[in-house]
Amino acid sequence: MFSNFDYDVIWRSLPYLFQQGMVFTLTLTAIATVFGLILGTLIAMMRLSSSAVLSGFAVSYVNLMRSLPLVLVIFLFYFLMPYVGQWIIRSDQPVQVGAYASTIVTFTLFEAAYFSEIMRAGIQSVPRGQVMAGYAIGLNYREVMRRVVLPQAFRNMLPVIFTQTIVLFQDTSLVYVLSITDFLGAASKVAQRDGRLTEMYLFAALVYFLICFTASFFVKRLQKRISIIR
Amino acid sequence: MPMITIEKVSKWYNPQFQVLKNCTTTVEKGEVVVVCGPSGSGKSTLIKTVNALEPVQEGTITVDGLNVTTMKKDLPKLRSRVGMVFQHFELFPHLKIVENLCLGQTIVLGRSEDAAKTKAMKMLERVGLTAHAQKYPGQLSGGQQQRVAIARALVMDPICMLFDEPTSALDPEMINEVLDVMVELAKEGMTMMVVTHEMGFAKKVANRVIFMDAGEIVEDAQKEDFFGHPRSDRAQHFLSKILAH
């Protein structure tokens, strides 16, 4: 069955696949990880706060996001965001939000829910005595969090954060529903155009596999190193 | 004026469980007070109320004339002047030893990096650990970690020091190196409140001994009186058990 394969179609489309597709995939992964982690950490701190309002908000947010399929959220945000934008800046018409900007906001908000659960576990993994020691030398809540708790929480959770990022990297392919040219989108477009579906999808699968498998391998090694330090 | 006053302090963990029952005592400037008692007697809780790490529901605590129980905004500032040493050291494992000693100085006291480092090295020298400045806490033995913890409190120029069972988590051969540092401090006139089972230390440097049981201060006496002829049955019983060997 492989005898009539056209390998040249892969070769010809490499610049398009990587310079456009993969660049977008990696950009989206990086932005959603960084901002999702920051936002997720804030949500985790809200969730662990003694204020019922803050923790209630955090719990509702996380539960809502985790109960919806990502594809649905991508769609929903794409259609709703123009109206939300209109309401925020009090404009007469819906604000034009491109598919690109929309997906970045969507993924950040969606991943924040997952990262917040990871960071919550991380914060709780830091012994209470550490918090006490921070207060005892005169730090306030913010300083204790920033200098004592979060660095340790982050370090303890690093392997889990990376694993979540690998999952996120794969999930970015769902932007195909908005016809965005991510790596899979690019491969798919070439496949349709040249009628070379098998070659292109097999190649895309191979690339995803190699990247994720290698990344997972390094995460496992990191995990071992961290468990030795602790 | 006393350095620390604890007046009619009561604390509940929940409506059913009272950990501190109407505790009253004072620590004069330059005095070393040892707090002892069976486990669960509330002695660790009592010492943590002094710098408000444990809030109380009733009573008043003052440090250097300032009311700790009602303090809110100035609490971090006060805590920075009260040195605290924990049972499990609680050094920050992600920071080097020297960074552990600089954190409070730069952030709370606003000292420059350089000034903080100089002070840190001076205190490390005092506890005999200059060579370990660039290591992480995990690379040090328990005794060394606890000496660093004492140095971390000292760099803040504390007006008094609280020790919460500083040797209970140590291997026997490391207890003395920590006690030596504490004896030294006491001799220099540091005001100290020490929760400990080390009766040898109490006999050597304490001025007064407080004996607690079931959340109450049962006995609060001069060292000689406490060891010579404890008044309460509970203190006698405790001493006979702890000094049996």
Side-chain angles (χ1 to χ4, degrees):
Chain A
M1 74 176 266
F2 293 109
S3 57
N4 57 355
F5 260 36
D6 175 15
Y7 295 106
D8 196 47
V9 67
I10 298 170
W11 186 247
R12 274 183 283 127
S13 53
L14 275 186
Y16 175 65
L17 286 177
F18 282 92
Q19 282 167 17
Q20 284 211 20
M22 190 52 89
V23 166
F24 176 79
T25 296
L26 291 177
T27 311
L28 180 57
T29 306
I31 293 178
T33 302
V34 171
F35 289 101
L37 202 49
I38 294 170
L39 194 61
T41 305
L42 291 176
I43 294 170
M45 281 159 64
M46 283 164 72
R47 172 134 194 198
L48 294 173
S49 91
S50 48
S51 150
V53 179
L54 287 181
S55 76
F57 171 81
V59 170
S60 321
Y61 180 85
V62 171
N63 285 343
L64 176 70
M65 280 300 185
R66 299 213 306 175
S67 309
L68 296 174
L70 179 52
V71 185
L72 179 66
V73 180
I74 293 172
F75 254 132
L76 217 54
F77 272 46
Y78 182 57
F79 293 122
L80 286 181
M81 231 180 282
Y83 298 102
V84 175
Q86 178 187 18
W87 181 75
I88 289 174
I89 63 169
R90 315 243 174 247
S91 123
D92 310 333
Q93 327 166 6
V95 181
Q96 286 300 313
V97 182
Y100 184 85
S102 164
T103 47
I104 285 183
V105 174
T106 307
F107 272 86
T108 301
L109 293 179
F110 191 81
E111 288 305 315
Y114 286 85
F115 280 127
S116 88
E117 286 296 279
I118 295 173
M119 285 312 285
R120 180 166 71 104
I123 291 170
Q124 286 174 325
S125 76
V126 178
R128 210 178 126 61
Q130 287 284 304
V131 178
M132 288 253 186
Y135 282 132
I137 59 170
L139 304 181
N140 58 33
Y141 172 79
R142 255 190 57 196
E143 291 156 353
V144 167
M145 271 294 164
R146 179 158 160 233
R147 308 284 179 156
V148 178
V149 177
L150 290 181
Q152 294 186 60
F154 191 73
R155 192 192 65 181
N156 292 350
M157 288 296 122
L158 209 51
V160 191
I161 289 169
F162 278 132
T163 304
Q164 179 66 26
T165 304
I166 295 171
V167 174
L168 166 63
F169 172 75
Q170 296 168 8
D171 284 352
T172 54
S173 59
L174 290 174
V175 298
Y176 84 92
V177 295
L178 300 184
S179 306
I180 289 173
T181 312
D182 72 318
F183 183 71
L184 184 60
S188 165
K189 276 173 192 167
V190 174
Q192 313 279 346
R193 186 194 63 195
D194 296 355
R196 288 291 169 187
L197 297 166
T198 327
E199 289 90 334
M200 292 312 291
Y201 283 125
L202 270 179
F203 178 66
L206 182 72
V207 172
Y208 274 109
F209 172 77
L210 282 179
I211 292 176
C212 294
F213 185 80
T214 319
S216 300
F217 173 78
F218 282 111
V219 170
K220 273 205 195 91
R221 276 211 354 201
L222 178 77
Q223 206 156 17
K224 267 191 202 134
R225 263 191 41 199
I226 286 181
S227 65
I228 291 170
I229 294 171
R230 244 187 295 162
Chain B
M1 188 178 65
M3 182 61 84
I4 300 167
T5 66
I6 297 172
E7 219 185 304
K8 295 182 180 151
V9 164
S10 292
K11 178 183 172 70
W12 288 261
Y13 274 131
N14 56 48
Q16 289 87 45
F17 186 61
Q18 190 172 1
V19 259
L20 295 177
K21 294 174 189 158
N22 205 20
C23 296
T24 300
T25 190
T26 57
V27 180
E28 295 296 328
K29 207 169 172 186
E31 208 176 16
V32 176
V33 173
V34 162
V35 184
C36 62
S39 55
S41 58
K43 50 196 194 307
S44 279
T45 308
L46 182 72
I47 202 170
K48 282 185 182 133
T49 62
V50 173
N51 59 354
L53 284 179
E54 292 279 4
V56 298
Q57 281 83 30
E58 278 176 19
T60 315
I61 296 162
T62 67
V63 175
D64 199 24
L66 301 167
N67 189 333
V68 179
T69 22
T70 54
M71 197 180 279
K72 283 256 148 66
K73 211 173 95 254
D74 296 326
L75 201 51
K77 193 142 223 156
L78 179 103
R79 281 175 176 153
S80 73
R81 299 166 67 211
V82 178
M84 175 115 202
V85 176
F86 297 87
Q87 181 177 4
H88 296 286
F89 334 133
E90 303 301 350
L91 295 176
F92 306 128
H94 59 299
L95 300 177
K96 288 176 182 165
I97 299 303
V98 64
E99 291 167 341
N100 263 280
L101 268 60
C102 287
L103 189 65
Q105 294 189 71
T106 50
I107 294 181
V108 184
L109 303 181
R111 288 180 186 155
S112 71
E113 263 329 301
D114 282 343
K117 213 169 250 177
T118 312
K119 181 93 182 176
M121 292 311 289
K122 213 172 105 192
M123 286 305 157
L124 277 183
E125 195 182 337
R126 184 187 169 144
V127 295
L129 293 168
T130 335
H132 302 282
Q134 299 302 323
K135 290 187 183 166
Y136 286 91
Q139 296 171 285
L140 270 56
S141 74
Q144 290 170 330
Q145 287 192 53
Q146 195 61 300
R147 278 145 68 199
V148 172
I150 295 174
R152 178 175 67 180
L154 290 177
V155 292
M156 306 296 281
D157 296 321
I159 51 174
C160 61
M161 293 274 289
L162 308 172
F163 293 84
D164 182 14
E165 303 205 30
T167 57
S168 300
L170 295 175
D171 291 333
E173 74 269 23
M174 292 172 183
I175 289 174
N176 279 331
E177 62 186 78
V178 172
L179 288 180
D180 286 346
V181 176
M182 291 169 61
V183 169
E184 197 68 24
L185 266 177
K187 278 185 186 157
E188 283 169 23
M190 176 64 80
T191 310
M192 291 161 69
M193 201 167 165
V194 186
V195 174
T196 186
H197 295 295
E198 295 294 331
M199 289 303 125
F201 172 82
K203 280 181 177 166
K204 200 162 162 189
V205 296
N207 301 103
R208 272 178 31 235
V209 178
I210 292 172
F211 174 74
M212 287 185 74
D213 191 22
E216 279 175 288
I217 293 183
V218 179
E219 198 143 338
D220 184 346
Q222 294 298 312
K223 168 178 67 179
E224 295 76 15
D225 297 335
F226 181 78
F227 289 113
H229 29 86
R231 279 175 289 121
S232 65
D233 292 345
R234 282 188 279 185
Q236 279 174 19
H237 185 66
F238 176 76
L239 278 176
S240 70
K241 274 203 292 195
I242 207 162
L243 298 174
H245 302 287

